[in-house]
Amino acid sequence: MSNVKKTILNSSGTDPNKILPMKYKWAREHYKKGVANNWTPEEVNMQKDLETWKNPNILSEDERRLIIWNMGFFSTAESLTANNIVLAIYRHITNPECRQYLLRQAYEEAVHTDTFIYCCDTLSIAPDEVYNMYMTIPSIKAKDDFVVDMTKSIFDVNFKTDSNENIQRFVHDLVCYYIFMEGIFFYAGFVMMLSFLRQNKMTGVGEQFQYILRDESVHLAFGADLVNTIIEENPEIWTAEFKAKITENIKRSVQLEYEYAKDCLPRGILGLNAEAIHEYIKYIADRRLERIHLPKVYNAKNPFEWMSEIADLKKEKNFFETRVTEYKQGGMLSWD
Ligand code: MN
Ligand code: FE
């Protein structure tokens, strides 16, 4: 019994609560990073944002639209991601160190949900305006529908990862959730909201997005490690056909994110336009493909070098170190 092999899926031969000895050290590392980055939305002062928001002469119509559109997408996307973890992913990932991380991630998604409650509250934005956008704005609905449609397998109560075919379906859904949703669909919004922060406008909301981006980059890193490990342990699922399907889906998600960017930004503002965001999304889509060992497809250049300081996984460590210092000083966050 003591020599039962610990595997990432279906490790039912081992006690699911037996976390030590630990096999997947990366899961532990992501957990530690999450804890080290602890924050709550109330730490960010929203007073200046409130004054800006209430004043009809500071923000343009287009700037207001951009903020409302992003709050509209993120406010409901955060609970969609939380549901995915708790109701679907957690059920199938039985490995205890991964589950420990999933519990942490679920908590962070709750903090993100709380962030949008806090933003609506402090700025007195009517909740109906923001929380119905996932149904009423076609470019937001298209993104949500895409994720819901592509994660159907793991929501099926009878679904089990008991065959190669089902493990492949599971990885398909995980890629959709971690790579497309958290790795692509959040990123046009991050660029837009962090551009506001850089221009010193609505800095409270901007900082909230900065904290969320930092959490999401760890979610994404965990998701990629999870996907890569399942494939390593089940190499027969990683067929040419399956790889082609994932690449096709990533192209669809890039297109949906571009449509969303055009909708948020019908005209260029803040040194941003939908075309530059499209280029950026293609650039990060290539990074996501490489992270799960697939060839890149776009060879796009990063038009927002300043984002890589914050978002590039390779700089994750510096990024965290910077933040921890800033946080201790209680100063404004700035990585420019
Ligand atoms: Mn989140
Ligand atoms: Fe997340």
Side-chain angles (χ1 to χ4, degrees), residues 155-173:
F155 269 101
D156 176 352
V157 288
N158 297 313
F159 181 77
K160 285 194 170 59
T161 53
D162 55 358
S163 64
N164 281 344
E165 193 198 334
N166 281 356
I167 293 172
Q168 195 182 65
R169 283 170 64 194
F170 184 59
V171 170
H172 167 275
D173 289 12

Side-chain angles (χ1 to χ4, degrees), residues 10 15 28 72 87 93 99-100 130 137 163 196 202 208 210 242 247 250 267 280 296 310:
N10 304 313
D15 178 351
R28 179 71 175 165
L87 299 174
I93 301 290
R99 279 192 157 177
Q100 191 193 30
V130 165
I137 304 296
S163 64
F196 256 94
M202 298 298 283
Q208 308 272 6
Q210 202 168 23
F242 185 43
T247 305
I250 215 165
R267 288 158 292 273
Y280 177 69
K296 54 184 177 174
I310 302 170

Side-chain angles (χ1 to χ4, degrees), residues 78 81 108-109 112 182 186 212 215-216 219:
E78 298 292 1
T81 60
E108 288 170 10
E109 301 303 358
H112 301 172
E182 301 208 285
F186 284 1
I212 292 176
D215 292 344
E216 294 303 338
H219 300 177

